[in-house]
Amino acid sequence: MRWELFIILIAFYGFGQKQLEATFTTEKIKIDGQLNEDIWSKSDKPSPFIRIKPDPGTVSNSLTNIQLCYDQDAIYFAIFCQDDPDSISKVLSLRDDYNPNCDIIGIFLDTYNDNQNGFYFGLTSRGVQLDAKIVGNDYNDKLNLVWHSAVQIVENGWIAEIRIPYSALRFPQKEVQDWGVNFGRQLARNREEASWVKVNPDLENMLLESGDITNIKNIQPPLRLALIPYVSSYADEVRKLDGSKGLLRSFNGGMDIKYGVNEAFTLDLTLVPDFGQVVFDQQVLNLTPFEVQFNENRQFFTEGMELFNKAGIFYSRRIGIQAPSKVTQTMLNEEEYLENIPGSSQLYNASKLSGRNNKGLGIGVFNAVNAEQSATAISKLDNSQREVLISPLTNYNVMVFDQNLKNNSSVTFTNTNVWRAGSFYDANVSAFNFNLNTKDNNYNINGKGILSAQLDKETTVGHNLNLNVQKQRGSLIGGVGYLQESDTYDPNDLGFNYNNNRRVIQVSSSYRDFTPKWQKLMKWNVNASFSQTFLYNPSVFSSNMASINFFAVSKKFNAGGLNYGATLQESKDYFEPRKWGAVFTIPQFQFLNAWYSTNYQRKFAIDLGGSMVDYHQSAWRQYAYNFNPRFRLSDAVFLIYSFEKELQLNSIGYAIPFATPAQTYSGILFGQRNRNTTVQAISFDYILTNRMSLSLRLRHYRSTLAYQNFSLLQDDGSLILLDGFNGNTADGTSAYDINYNAFTIDFVYRWVFMPGSELNIVWKNSVFASNDAVNVAYWQDLSYTLQTGALNSFSMKLIYWLDAQQFKKGRDVLPR
């Protein structure tokens, strides 16, 4: 009888749009997971969820009851997840950690019903909250919305009771709301993922394939005003000019403000922000001609930034942290170089206005003002020093207009502006990008056009053009793409682009099987691609690459992959010589890498990987391997250890001096060298409660570079060996060898004592050191590094959320 019911439900499911009717209530609902209110007594029949994985399209054995109601302040969900209490996951996790060891119920709300923009609210069986802003298939979980929830484990399952205030949402102001909705469940014990409305695994878009909430009437978007003041105190060790340590104490205060201008648009302000507790960047020894891109970890720049990042020309770390080298070197004389560059500068204020109206037009305006920044300029001629301005008082501005179109399509215009005080240049970048899908979303065409301008005594203008056509659904997918960037294109004043002056043609095709005939496999795919790169100016060949990749996941959720690729001829590198017009010829090479990952649901899991690169008719070889064991020591304690090793043997590249060599040459110096890089990291989490945790992040990065010989680069890209040059300084040590160490610790205690309010206590420890001891053994070198004098920082920060709704007479905003 049960399976007959399932067949009937599936038939209904396949031929009708699923709907949930909301009931208006005046009853006061206490969020405690007990469901004692009368409104919850009218339980609907359980809904069968449809598996996404494993066995996509089949009916889950675990039924789910969903009820919802609303009042003038919030929408409420009561969800009963039927299950055996002994099988329900007891694992605690950090907030917004989509841990495969957790049982999760998720709500996907599409309040404009445009299938593109929405909100995700998730809750684990231990009451840990997860939330995210959804844009297409991208989930931004960096924001922490303020909502309320409770969980109870009962005789035949677990209950999730959720209150989402309207102040946490954006929706149109109209008499009858038309919201899209979907629900998802994750069952940890068998790694099952299932949804209320069937979601096809070839796209996995929870908003595109969703049902509807009906009967929400006569609700008004509330006053959305929140004040989030903070106070913080720091005790930081600092390095004095004589090399000794000093202690710097500080006490700070500031405020974030969130104000709903209307039902759709929100203004966010940060006044005198404090980013001192942000985790360390993962520093590396960079030998390339391009800068390193780091992750943004400052909360104001990660929350609600989806609209501003849509064109790919906004890199928020340009604000106060990572100014482009063209700016930092503006005031330098030709014979000078910089030292004592500060890690960050004071951000005076930042604001962002963003939202989307009922016509589907998204509008975003961002503005920030950053203080000037200075460093020490040192002369290569006589070692004289002077203080020099490396970044002036600067205003950063971004403006975005993003129009939703039917079929999950959109067009977007973005403009970024950078205004700098004094004699520094200004910059402006404008981008138009589009994303168009066919009605069934099987086919897609997307592209962009970008115009950059640097405004100095002479204006420099450049462009970027990009077009891609692809089939994106079904078993067989693929596409072709074209990218063109002029030699004067430079968006890096407020964006990030590794290199310009290129034209790239790419073709790829993949075959995916979500229901393999071999019963031990859950899914597999194979991908083949080919790309060819030219310079834009002059229009000459640069490189090509062909590759084939295989990936598979077993029914036991073990996964593995194998990748092979090769260049079809010698490559021409016009960037490695660091001088325009020169070229370095790279031998033809091939690479192979493989990886394997066991099921994370187990108490012990491991990730393994290895790779090799072989250069034809050359002694140049590269090898790398990694292993990352993961331990679930208990339901509240997690430990991950990571080890990575990379060996570059007889590699050839531009020779960068780290000291002054006794001999110099007028040509471009290259060197043959061995590079040995080791990275060890420990990640430890102890989850005390669903609102309190201890987290440790420890990382040691070591990279040594030892030169064997040196050569001069010739006009044709070849090298001539310099027999009489050893690269030593006047005192006999190597000017080119380097042993670089970066050791960091981030230890954080976090207590979310009420929604939006938290206490953070942080200890940070760091050592960044370099010398020429390239032959010292790893553990001995680590011991020396730790003895060079780590710098410590201890801080406390209290953040408190004050919501205007809390002060409305007769309103009771209950804590979770």
Side-chain angles (χ1 to χ4, degrees), residues 246-258:
L247 187 64
L248 179 65
R249 300 181 184 274
S250 62
F251 184 82
N252 310 299
M255 181 182 293
D256 287 356
I257 301 172
K258 295 180 180 290

Side-chain angles (χ1 to χ4, degrees), residues 34 57 174 213 506 524 572 584 609 652 710:
Q34 300 290 341
K174 59 183 183 179
I213 295 177
Q506 185 172 22
W524 65 273
K572 301 293 183 179
F584 169 55
I652 301 173
F710 297 87

Side-chain angles (χ1 to χ4, degrees), residues 623-697:
Y623 305 94
Y625 63 91
N626 68 278
F627 60 91
N628 312 101
R630 310 167 66 95
F631 304 90
R632 176 157 54 94
L633 303 178
S634 74
D635 287 339
V637 182
F638 303 87
L639 174 67
I640 302 174
Y641 169 73
S642 300
F643 181 89
E644 300 174 21
K645 170 72 78 172
E646 182 181 7
L647 297 171
Q648 298 180 11
L649 305 178
N650 304 304
S651 67
I652 301 173
Y654 180 80
I656 302 172
F658 299 99
T660 303
Q663 296 173 272
T664 58
Y665 286 88
S666 58
I668 300 173
L669 193 66
F670 271 61
Q672 180 173 296
R673 66 264 181 123
N674 292 332
R675 183 174 183 179
N676 186 341
T677 300
T678 305
V679 185
Q680 292 195 87
I682 294 174
S683 173
F684 176 81
D685 293 319
Y686 179 24
I687 318 300
L688 301 169
T689 72
N690 59 9
R691 295 189 293 175
M692 187 184 299
S693 63
L694 291 170
S695 296
L696 171 71
R697 302 291 183 267

